[in-house]
Amino acid sequence: MKFWRSVTFLFLLFICQALLLPFCSAQAPKPVVIAGHEAKFDAQGELSPWISWSTALDREMHFYESAPSDHGYPVFVTTTFLDGDWRPLPGRKDMIPATQNGLGIISYLKFYEFRGKHNLKTLAIARAMGDYLIKEDLTPEGGAYPRFVRSTGRRGSFPQTLDGGSQADGPYEIEPDKGGIAGYALLLLFDATKDKKYLEQALHDARVLGANQKPGDATHSPWPFRADYRNGEGRGDVSGDMVYILRLYDLLIAHGNEEFAEPRAALWKWIKERQIPSAKGDGVLFAQFFEDHDNPANRNAWAPLNLARYLLERKQALDPDWQEDAKTLVEFVQKNFTHKEFNVTVCHEQDEDHEAWSGVNSTYGAVLALYAKATGSESLAAEARQALTFAEYSIDEQGRPRDLFKSDALGGWQEDAHTDVVHNFVDALKAYPEWGK
C-alpha cells in the first residue's frame, strides 16, 4: 500500500512539475528603460514622471550653475557639444551661438521669473549669454549685415573669426532669423536688467534686418535662410522661422520705436497671407531652420510650433483668427512630425531627422499645453503632459540632461539638452501648475 501511495505521489509531483515548469523557467519581463530611468506607468498605462518636474528642473538648473568657466563665460555658453562632465566632445568644434544662447536667455529669464526672481545666479548666467553674443559673436563692421549675430561659429574663437561659419553655413554666412532670435532675447535681457548695451544691440539687429527685408511671396520668405554677411547674397529662398523677427519688431514698437511699424506690418502680412495658409497644404513655407541642414525643401516642426506659441500668447492682439490659425499650425505638425515612442506621442524635428530631440519635443509639449489651455481640450492637455514627461526622463539624478533619450551618453547638443528645453517646461507649468508636483 505504501508503495502505491509513493508511486501516486511521485506521479502527481511529476505532473505538477510539468505544468509549472514553463512558468518557472520563463524570464521575468524586462523593465522599460527610457534615458537610463526605469519607466513608470499609471493604472491607465500613461507614462508617469520618474521624479517631479519641479525637482528635476531645479536639479538641472543647479547643475548648470556649476559649469566651469571658459574665457569668463560658463562653458555651455561658448561650446555646443559637451559631455555630462563639461568636457567638449572630440571632433566637434562647430557651434550654434545665436540659437543656443538666444533661446538660453529666454529660458533663463523665464525660469528666473518663475522662481520668484530670487536666484541671482540665474540672471547672471542669462547676462553671460548676452555678453557673449555682443562681445564674441558679431560680424565685422561694413557689408550687408554689419555687427550682426553669427548663427554658427567655432569653439575656442574669442571673438569669432571672419570666416568662422560652420555646420552647413558657408564661412561668411549668417542666418537672418537667428539674428531675430538673438535680438529678441537681448531685448528681454534689457527689460530684466536695464543695461542699455542689450537694447542697443537689439535695435541694431532689427535695423539691419529691416534694411535687408523683402516683401516675400509664394516661394520666398522676406529674408533668405542664409546670407553672405559681406554682400547680402542669399542662399535658400525660404526661412521657416519668421516669428522671432516679428517678436523683435513688436517688442521694439512697444518700447516706442515706431520706425519698425512698416516692416512689421509687411512681415505680418506675409506670415498671415502666405505662411500660415501653406500649413493647410504642403507647408513649403516652413522649410529650413536647423543650422546643420541645407536642403531647401526640408520642412521642420520648430518654426510652426513657435509661431503657434506666439499666437497663443498674444491671441486677439496679434491675430483675430488666432485660434483657427493656431489649430492649422498644430495640426500640420501633428500630421507631419509626430510618432510614437513607448506608446507616447512625441515630436521630431524635420523631414530629414525623425528623432525626438528634447528641444523640439519639449517645444511640442509646451505649445500643445498652451493650445489645450486656450481651447479647454483635456485630450490635448494629456498628450502635452505625456510629451513633456517623456522629455523629463532625459534628466538624470544629478540634473544632467541629454539631448536625445536614446543617446548612450549624457550631454550632447546644449540647445537640445538644455537651453531650448527649460522655457518649454516653464510655459507648460504656468498653464498647468499641478503638473510640476
Side-chain angles (χ1 to χ4, degrees):
M1 193 67 175
K2 289 182 180 180
F3 170 79
W4 289 110
R5 285 179 180 175
S6 298
V7 170
T8 301
F9 174 77
L10 291 172
F11 176 77
L12 291 174
L13 181 61
F14 172 78
I15 295 297
C16 289
Q17 287 178 333
L19 291 172
L20 292 175
L21 184 61
F23 297 97
C24 295
S25 61
Q27 292 183 348
K30 292 182 179 180
V32 175
V33 177
I34 304 174
H37 298 288
E38 184 174 339
K40 299 179 180 180
F41 296 91
D42 63 18
Q44 288 73 43
E46 300 293 315
L47 184 67
S48 299
W50 72 271
I51 196 173
S52 78
W53 287 10
S54 292
T55 299
L57 285 174
D58 285 338
R59 288 181 182 179
E60 180 173 328
M61 296 299 284
H62 181 69
F63 171 70
Y64 272 82
E65 289 176 4
S66 72
S69 177
D70 180 20
H71 287 74
Y73 308 99
V75 68
F76 67 93
V77 172
T78 69
T79 307
T80 293
F81 298 96
L82 293 164
D83 70 13
D85 295 311
W86 303 120
R87 292 183 296 250
L89 297 186
R92 294 305 303 257
K93 295 197 71 172
D94 51 318
M95 62 177 301
I96 54 170
T99 304
Q100 180 173 322
N101 290 303
L103 295 174
I105 291 168
I106 293 169
S107 277
Y108 272 67
L109 291 181
K110 282 188 179 182
F111 194 83
Y112 178 62
E113 181 179 1
F114 186 63
R115 286 289 185 253
K117 299 183 179 180
H118 295 309
N119 189 352
L120 294 179
K121 291 181 180 179
T122 307
L123 185 60
I125 292 175
R127 291 193 65 137
M129 294 177 185
D131 292 346
Y132 177 86
L133 291 175
I134 293 173
K135 296 177 182 178
E136 316 291 355
D137 192 45
L138 301 183
T139 61
E141 290 280 4
Y145 287 86
R147 293 191 296 112
F148 195 75
V149 177
R150 303 287 297 261
S151 47
T152 58
R154 300 283 178 181
R155 170 171 60 86
S157 297
F158 297 90
Q160 291 294 328
T161 61
L162 301 183
D163 60 349
S166 66
Q167 297 202 357
D169 283 356
Y172 300 99
E173 284 185 322
I174 54 87
E175 297 173 18
D177 78 290
K178 305 308 186 292
I181 292 173
Y184 174 70
L186 289 169
L187 194 50
L188 293 179
L189 195 54
F190 165 72
D191 287 342
T193 64
K194 305 308 177 187
D195 190 329
K196 289 188 177 180
K197 67 184 177 185
Y198 303 127
L199 171 62
E200 291 168 357
Q201 185 62 47
L203 265 170
H204 175 76
D205 288 344
R207 286 169 176 156
V208 171
L209 286 165
N212 288 277
Q213 184 172 345
K214 300 294 189 294
D217 56 31
T219 56
H220 295 78
S221 52
W223 294 267
F225 181 50
R226 292 183 167 93
D228 188 311
Y229 70 73
R230 300 168 300 180
N231 55 28
E233 182 179 349
R235 182 164 67 94
D237 293 340
V238 174
S239 177
D241 168 37
M242 292 288 99
V243 71
Y244 272 95
I245 301 177
L246 181 67
R247 281 181 179 270
L248 174 59
Y249 281 167
D250 278 347
L251 193 52
L252 284 169
I253 292 169
H255 280 71
N257 297 280
E258 289 297 327
E259 66 185 275
F260 299 105
E262 186 175 338
R264 185 268 179 206
L267 173 57
W268 172 245
K269 178 180 175 65
W270 182 83
I271 292 173
K272 176 67 175 172
E273 296 181 2
R274 297 286 191 179
Q275 191 178 34
I276 294 174
S278 81
K280 295 180 179 179
D282 54 16
V284 293
L285 295 181
F286 287 102
Q288 300 211 113
F289 171 75
F290 295 99
E291 296 90 338
D292 56 333
H293 289 255
D294 61 1
N295 177 1
N298 182 32
R299 304 169 306 166
N300 70 89
W302 195 96
L305 286 173
N306 276 283
L307 177 53
R309 190 201 309 256
Y310 197 38
L311 294 173
L312 292 163
E313 289 175 0
R314 296 288 306 280
K315 297 185 173 68
Q316 193 78 18
L318 175 62
D319 180 6
D321 308 310
W322 65 270
Q323 188 165 328
E324 181 62 29
D325 287 343
K327 179 182 178 183
T328 294
L329 296 167
V330 168
E331 289 183 347
F332 168 70
V333 171
Q334 289 176 318
K335 177 182 177 181
N336 294 284
F337 301 106
T338 58
H339 67 277
K340 295 281 190 179
E341 297 283 358
F342 303 97
N343 205 36
V344 175
T345 299
V346 295
C347 184
H348 51 265
E349 283 187 344
Q350 53 195 307
D351 288 329
E352 295 185 339
D353 189 338
H354 290 189
E355 297 289 3
W357 298 90
S358 291
V360 75
N361 185 51
S362 63
T363 298
Y364 177 69
V367 173
L368 205 61
L370 295 176
Y371 182 59
K373 192 71 173 181
T375 60
S377 173
E378 293 184 5
S379 61
L380 289 177
E383 184 176 329
R385 188 176 187 178
Q386 285 285 280
L388 285 161
T389 295
F390 185 85
E392 185 232 24
Y393 270 74
S394 288
I395 307 170
D396 83 346
E397 289 77 4
Q398 299 177 47
R400 300 175 298 178
R402 68 186 78 199
D403 54 9
L404 181 64
F405 73 97
K406 63 174 63 173
S407 295
D408 292 332
L410 293 159
W413 292 74
Q414 289 304 296
E415 175 207 358
D416 277 309
H418 180 60
T419 62
D420 193 23
V421 175
V422 173
H423 69 111
N424 293 319
F425 275 95
V426 173
D427 279 355
L429 287 170
K430 288 172 71 175
Y432 294 94
E434 65 273 19
W435 290 0
K437 299 177 182 178

